[in-house]
């Protein structure tokens, strides 16, 4: 019991770090540098993870890593940066919390595998919560921020579905490291062309970049993947709910954002929807359970196991992509 509690605490580092990432990005990083912001998040984190797991991709995983790096790192990190800058922290974290539900629906379309009724109910409840959160706010909501959030969920959902289908023959942590490096290297020339030379960060901005790269990406992915190996998938899915809760708490308590009863009701609906749609794991780690066909297995089960990261995401939920949570021995 004590050992399991330690694994729970370690795994909880990831969703809390991803939830805080919305606030750090909005308050301390430059609003007009999404390409540089994403690149400076991805590259240091990729190098750190590669130092932990120094393995190269093999065979088809070279081009698969490039594709997933474009989706789960380059595309997702840029869009998440824009959403974090454009939306209030409480709103951004709540909207992105619905990404696991979007992944289940997209997986249904792409794989023709019908989700369980509980998953469909969770998707409907979660999306209703997002609608209530947005439509009852007295302050205007940035349409560009909402568009960035929707696009982030779309590209990361596609990336996670592909990762679930390409799960065999990869080491999860090493594959994630190469995805971060591939996505970051793609972003470097784009950032140089469209945003010019980067300003040298200092003070709080330097500390913020250090947080998003080291804590909210490298450390968070390492902690999350450890939890997926050591804990049941259902437990990890519930821990993922700490992501939006952290974002809302920081937004309301620290940033002074105001949420009325309708917005809190919308948040509760989103959390209920994600809880209904979470993977059901057995006694062993979620990644292993998925790989061996236990509850939570199958295409939708694999996406659900990955999706709790995107609900943060980092996700990647926040948090970026992975080579598939279902790889034996194996980031969100």
């Amino acid at each position: 019991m004590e050992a399991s509690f330690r694994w729970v605490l370690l795994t909880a580092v990831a969703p809390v770090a991803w939830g805080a990432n919305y606030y750090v990005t909005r308050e301390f990083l430059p609003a007009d540098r999404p390409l540089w912001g994403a690149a400076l998040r991805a590259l240091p984190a990729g190098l750190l993870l590669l130092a932990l797991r120094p393995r190269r991709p093999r065979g088809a995983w070279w081009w698969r890593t490039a594709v997933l790096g474009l989706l789960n790192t380059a595309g997702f990190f840029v869009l998440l940066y824009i959403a974090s800058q454009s939306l209030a922290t409480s709103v951004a974290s709540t909207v992105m919390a619905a990404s696991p539900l979007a992944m289940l629906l997209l997986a249904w379309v792409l794989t023709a595998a019908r989700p369980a009724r509980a998953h469909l109910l969770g998707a409907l409840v979660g999306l209703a919560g997002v609608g209530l959160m947005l439509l009852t706010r007295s302050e205007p909501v940035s349409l560009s921020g909402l568009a960035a959030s929707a696009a982030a969920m779309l590209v990361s959902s596609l990336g996670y579905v592909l990762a679930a289908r390409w799960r065999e023959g990869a080491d999860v942590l090493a594959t994630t490291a190469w995805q971060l490096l591939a996505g970051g290297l793609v972003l470097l020339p784009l950032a140089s062309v469209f945003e010019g030379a980067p300003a040298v960060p200092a003070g709080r901005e330097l500390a913020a970049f250090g947080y998003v790269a080291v804590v909210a990406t490298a450390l968070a992915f390492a902690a999350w993947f450890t939890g997926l190996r050591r804990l049941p998938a259902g437990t990890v899915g519930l821990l993922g709910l700490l992501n939006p809760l952290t974002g809302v708490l920081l937004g309301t308590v620290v940033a002074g954002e105001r949420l009325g009863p309708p917005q809190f009701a919308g948040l509760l609906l989103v959390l209920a929807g994600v809880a209904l749609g979470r993977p059901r794991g057995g006694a062993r780690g979620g990644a292993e359970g998925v790989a061996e066909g236990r509850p939570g297995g199958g295409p939708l089960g694999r996406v659900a196991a990955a999706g709790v990261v995107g609900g943060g995401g980092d996700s990647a939920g926040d948090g970026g992509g992975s080579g598939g949570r279902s790889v034996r021995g194996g980031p969100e």
Side-chain angles (χ1 to χ4, degrees):
M1 179 66 70
E2 183 179 350
S4 297
F5 183 67
R6 287 200 300 267
W7 292 124
V8 167
L9 289 180
L10 176 63
T11 308
V13 168
V16 171
W18 289 324
N21 187 62
Y22 299 105
Y23 173 77
V24 172
T25 300
R26 179 177 173 84
E27 297 295 328
F28 301 111
L29 296 184
D32 58 347
R33 293 289 191 271
L35 294 173
W36 278 118
L40 294 177
R41 177 183 182 181
L43 290 172
L47 292 172
L48 285 172
L49 291 181
L50 192 61
L52 291 175
R53 195 65 64 90
R55 299 179 184 178
R56 293 182 298 175
R58 296 182 179 179
W61 270 103
W62 281 108
W63 67 265
R64 290 176 178 177
T65 296
V67 171
L68 296 176
L70 284 174
L71 295 170
N72 292 339
T73 299
F76 180 70
F77 278 11
V78 170
L79 292 166
L80 189 65
Y81 192 101
I82 295 172
S84 299
Q85 292 284 358
S86 304
L87 298 172
T89 299
S90 56
V91 174
S93 57
T94 302
V95 172
M96 291 305 298
S99 59
L101 310 176
M103 290 180 196
L104 288 172
L105 295 178
L106 184 62
W108 185 11
V109 173
L110 295 180
T111 66
R114 184 180 179 87
R117 290 182 179 179
H119 292 163
L120 280 178
L121 178 61
L124 293 176
V125 170
L127 294 177
V130 171
L132 182 62
M133 180 80 168
L134 298 177
L135 296 176
T136 58
R137 287 181 63 85
S138 57
E139 304 89 351
V141 178
S142 168
L143 294 180
S144 62
L146 289 179
S149 296
M153 285 191 282
L154 179 62
V155 298
S156 63
S157 297
L158 179 58
Y160 283 127
V161 171
L162 292 176
R165 298 184 70 175
W166 296 339
R167 65 193 183 278
E168 300 298 337
D171 179 278
V172 180
L173 197 61
T175 302
T176 300
W178 284 103
Q179 285 180 50
L180 289 167
L181 292 174
L185 290 174
V186 168
L187 290 171
L188 281 181
L190 295 176
S192 299
V193 170
F194 293 104
E195 296 178 356
V200 179
R204 294 194 306 174
E205 186 176 291
L206 179 61
F209 272 120
Y211 174 84
V212 299
V214 177
V215 178
T217 308
L219 176 61
F221 278 146
W224 189 255
F225 291 155
T226 300
L228 282 171
R229 291 196 301 270
R230 301 283 183 173
L231 297 170
T235 301
V236 178
L238 286 177
L239 288 174
L241 298 180
L242 291 173
N243 184 327
L245 289 175
T246 302
V248 170
L249 183 64
L250 288 174
T252 54
V253 175
V254 181
E257 299 167 5
R258 296 183 179 180
L259 294 182
Q263 288 83 53
F264 277 112
L267 171 64
L268 292 177
L269 285 176
V270 171
L271 297 179
V274 175
L276 285 171
R278 77 186 192 278
R280 270 66 174 175
R284 297 175 60 187
E288 295 178 10
V290 169
E292 297 176 14
R294 289 194 294 277
L300 292 174
R302 288 191 294 269
V303 174
V308 289
V309 177
D314 221 319
S315 60
D318 171 59
S322 81
R325 304 296 182 271
S326 52
V327 181
R328 286 182 174 85
E332 129 345 299

